[in-house]
Amino acid sequence: MVNKLAIVGAGPCGLLLAHYLLRRGEQYQIDIYERRNDPRTVPFSKSRTFPIALGNRGIAALQKIPGLMEAVKAMSLATTGSMIHQPNGKTRTITRKEPLFTLDRTNLAIALLNQLVEKYDNSRLNIHFNSQCTQVDFVAKQVTLQRDSAEKFTADYDLLVGTDGANSAVRDHLCTTELFECQKQYYRNEYKSIYIPNPTINLQPGKIHTWRIDDGTNIILLNQPDGSISGVIYFPQHKNQITSLTTTEEVQQFFHQNFPEVAQLMPQSEAEALLKRPISQVITIRCNRYHYDDSVVLMGDAAHAVSPSLGQGCNSALEDVVVFDNLLDEYVDDLAAAIENFSIRRQPDGDALAELSENAFPATKGLFLEFILRQRLSQILHQLFPQRFLPSLFEVLSDTTVPYRKILQSYEGWVSKVKNANNQFYSNL
Ligand SMILES: Cc1cc2nc3c(=O)[nH]c(=O)nc-3n(C[C@H](O)[C@H](O)[C@H](O)COP(=O)(O)OP(=O)(O)OC[C@H]3O[C@@H](n4cnc5c(N)ncnc54)[C@H](O)[C@@H]3O)c2cc1C
């Protein structure tokens, strides 16, 4: 029997899922619906650009598809640690044993797309860009999509997969069904992308560079394979200096006063672009289940969007696909059994990841220093006595596939300490 799958959202999760399912055999026929244009044909959007760091979870998921990790690596830079730039001009370096591969989110989607269309023709795979899901009829198993021109069309499915990101339309429709609950929370920080196409100064290669100031504003910058530098500036939602900047001069002055090293990198054109760039919000999603009946499932950010503080959103989205593929093996391609068990197996990890992402990374200066010291100490102790001491929190998240719920259990004390301190810090702003 042929299973007709409708995947809504051609982000990293939806595209990797298509690879996995099509590899399973002729019984899968896939239509992917994406509201944006084909990223391979539109100019690279500088306003929405941000780099993603892929660790072991994401890499392991990509490696299962022959040729995919090689294609992703060709667009990535390997980073072997973080360089924390302090206000006094000195730096602290945290090194890593395993490299992270960093690349732009859109480039990751392009690598996944290129390989998909190379491997499968439209007898089994059809990708519909510029097609936004607006309605789902769960009884008729039919999804409604809209093109720019307001032209609407419908598509039938046996299984609908919502991989349409943090603001998922599929999830919004699931919220109208019985027993499905979803909590949507705006994270305390917002962000703007930073993009420096032709930097005149180089940042040390192979490192993730960070700067922070006492009001909770953070900058993360990375070298890109094409010689540019990109990253983001995060700042507290309610009280920050960024939203009050109104001219290019004010932007430049802000960087000169608070982040002088970044100011040196930033030409006037970028200060101007930064000013115009929209502020993006970060959402945390917690759902009580990820499936509905025998025909709908959510994955990736649609199911469990988290803040980027630990760099796990995309890694976990790609890992979802591996979990689902294992379930299809276990249940011999019985989709209804696989989606039900996907909820059972994955939802506790999604919730644990949300808790870790919100409360494992400290906002206060004092706890931040403790965090760095703990990282170093854990690295040493784990190296000497691997049976008795866990790796550092970042390493266990990025270099292993230990389930998130187990990580949360192991680091419960630290998470609760940071949660209290962060709550106090943000309420005093
Ligand atoms: C600043 C920043 C930095 C980050 N850094 C990292 C990192 O270092 N490491 C990491 O692992 N993660 C990181 N993340 C998180 C990561 O970007 C996401 O977790 C990841 O992109 C999720 O993939 P996805 O496929 O589930 O969703 P998305 O990438 O959001 O893709 C969803 C797709 O669905 C489409 N869509 C949406 N609505 C509809 C609709 N109604 N109809 C049709 N299509 C629709 C969208 O256009 C999009 O293409 C970061 C996120 C941000 C914002």
Side-chain angles (χ1 to χ4, degrees):
M1 192 188 99
V2 173
N3 290 305
K4 198 169 158 38
L5 268 88
I7 298 180
V8 176
C13 186
L15 292 170
L16 185 68
L17 178 68
H19 273 282
Y20 270 69
L21 292 172
L22 290 166
R23 189 186 60 148
R24 294 189 73 82
E26 299 283 328
Q27 72 270 39
Y28 291 101
Q29 158 88 47
I30 296 186
D31 284 275
I32 303 179
Y33 302 97
E34 166 59 46
R35 74 167 175 195
R36 293 209 179 106
N37 288 317
D38 185 342
R40 295 165 302 172
T41 60
V42 291
F44 190 69
S45 160
K46 289 173 191 157
S47 63
R48 295 278 312 160
T49 179
F50 56 83
I52 282 182
L54 290 177
N56 196 280
R57 288 166 212 273
I59 293 169
L62 295 169
Q63 269 171 340
K64 294 210 169 152
I65 302 295
L68 205 48
M69 193 55 211
E70 289 70 20
V72 170
K73 265 188 190 168
M75 293 177 158
S76 313
L77 283 181
T79 60
T80 52
S82 303
M83 190 168 259
I84 301 159
H85 296 256
Q86 300 175 92
N88 61 8
K90 292 187 179 161
T91 54
R92 283 172 193 268
T93 305
I94 303 180
T95 49
R96 307 176 43 81
K97 264 200 316 237
E98 304 289 332
L100 296 175
F101 288 91
T102 61
L103 79 166
D104 188 87
R105 180 237 171 251
T106 306
N107 282 338
L108 175 60
I110 289 175
L112 285 157
L113 262 172
N114 281 341
Q115 296 264 319
L116 259 185
V117 297
E118 246 172 53
K119 285 183 184 160
Y120 304 100
D121 63 27
N122 57 11
S123 64
R124 296 187 61 207
L125 168 72
N126 284 287
I127 310 179
H128 313 258
F129 290 102
N130 197 9
S131 301
Q132 177 167 2
C133 165
T134 56
Q135 193 69 41
V136 186
D137 183 335
F138 296 118
V139 178
K141 296 189 180 173
Q142 194 173 67
V143 56
T144 303
L145 301 124
Q146 180 156 12
R147 295 213 171 94
D148 266 353
S149 53
E151 170 206 343
K152 283 191 178 177
F153 63 102
T154 57
D156 297 332
Y157 61 80
D158 297 314
L159 179 67
L160 173 68
V161 189
T163 52
D164 47 345
N167 291 305
S168 165
V170 176
R171 191 190 61 234
D172 283 352
H173 285 90
L174 278 180
C175 288
T176 62
T177 63
E178 249 182 271
L179 303 177
F180 186 89
E181 286 163 23
C182 170
Q183 195 193 358
K184 187 174 181 177
Q185 213 171 349
Y186 286 96
Y187 188 56
R188 291 181 277 215
N189 286 328
E190 298 181 329
Y191 74 93
K192 278 194 178 207
S193 301
I194 297 179
Y195 180 69
I196 302 161
N198 302 304
T200 46
I201 303 168
N202 282 329
L203 293 175
Q204 185 175 322
K207 295 280 179 280
I208 295 173
H209 294 263
T210 66
W211 293 259
R212 52 185 280 131
I213 53 173
D214 290 348
D215 72 356
T217 307
N218 276 291
I219 293 182
I220 299 179
L221 291 181
L222 283 123
N223 294 298
Q224 295 297 315
D226 64 359
S228 64
I229 291 176
S230 73
V232 279
I233 178 163
Y234 296 102
F235 43 88
Q237 193 179 24
H238 294 301
K239 203 166 171 205
N240 65 68
Q241 301 176 64
I242 307 296
T243 39
S244 56
L245 302 174
T246 54
T247 63
T248 308
E249 291 68 40
E250 282 175 13
V251 173
Q252 287 178 311
Q253 201 178 358
F254 165 79
F255 280 97
H256 275 294
Q257 275 170 4
N258 297 290
F259 300 102
E261 288 171 296
V262 181
Q264 282 180 34
L265 284 166
M266 189 173 290
Q268 194 183 347
S269 55
E270 171 52 17
E272 211 175 307
L274 188 83
L275 187 65
K276 289 186 191 144
R277 224 164 265 158
I279 291 175
S280 300
Q281 290 174 322
V282 179
I283 301 172
T284 300
I285 295 292
R286 290 178 173 88
C287 302
N288 67 335
R289 49 169 64 195
Y290 294 159
H291 79 290
Y292 171 76
D293 208 7
D294 61 354
S295 57
V296 186
V297 66
L298 299 175
M299 291 187 199
D301 273 12
H304 47 70
V306 292
S307 93
S309 63
L310 301 176
Q312 284 300 308
C314 191
N315 283 289
S316 64
L318 300 177
E319 193 177 50
D320 279 356
V321 177
V322 178
V323 172
F324 189 62
D325 191 56
N326 290 340
L327 286 166
L328 287 174
D329 285 343
E330 264 175 59
Y331 292 95
V332 204
D333 290 272
D334 176 342
L335 288 174
I339 64 170
E340 187 182 344
N341 283 284
F342 181 74
S343 276
I344 295 169
R345 202 164 289 180
R346 200 57 175 156
Q347 188 274 349
D349 284 325
D351 272 9
L353 177 60
E355 184 66 14
L356 285 161
S357 297
E358 276 179 356
N359 299 310
F361 195 76
T364 63
K365 199 172 167 182
L367 271 193
F368 182 65
L369 287 175
E370 186 179 331
F371 176 74
I372 294 170
L373 291 175
R374 277 174 179 257
Q375 290 283 116
R376 287 236 171 99
L377 194 64
S378 307
Q379 277 178 338
I380 297 166
L381 290 174
H382 179 68
Q383 214 165 9
L384 293 174
F385 312 104
Q387 304 303 332
R388 285 191 57 197
F389 293 95
L390 286 170
S392 72
L393 177 58
F394 263 105
E395 279 171 333
V396 79
L397 281 165
S398 312
D399 301 349
T400 74
T401 51
V402 174
Y404 293 117
R405 72 191 101 159
K406 289 205 174 144
I407 301 179
L408 181 60
Q409 273 165 13
S410 306
Y411 288 90
E412 221 165 13
W414 170 250
V415 169
S416 126
K417 187 174 180 176
V418 173
K419 191 174 188 167
N420 288 335
N422 281 4
N423 283 343
Q424 212 171 349
F425 175 81
Y426 285 104
S427 64
N428 288 339
L429 279 181

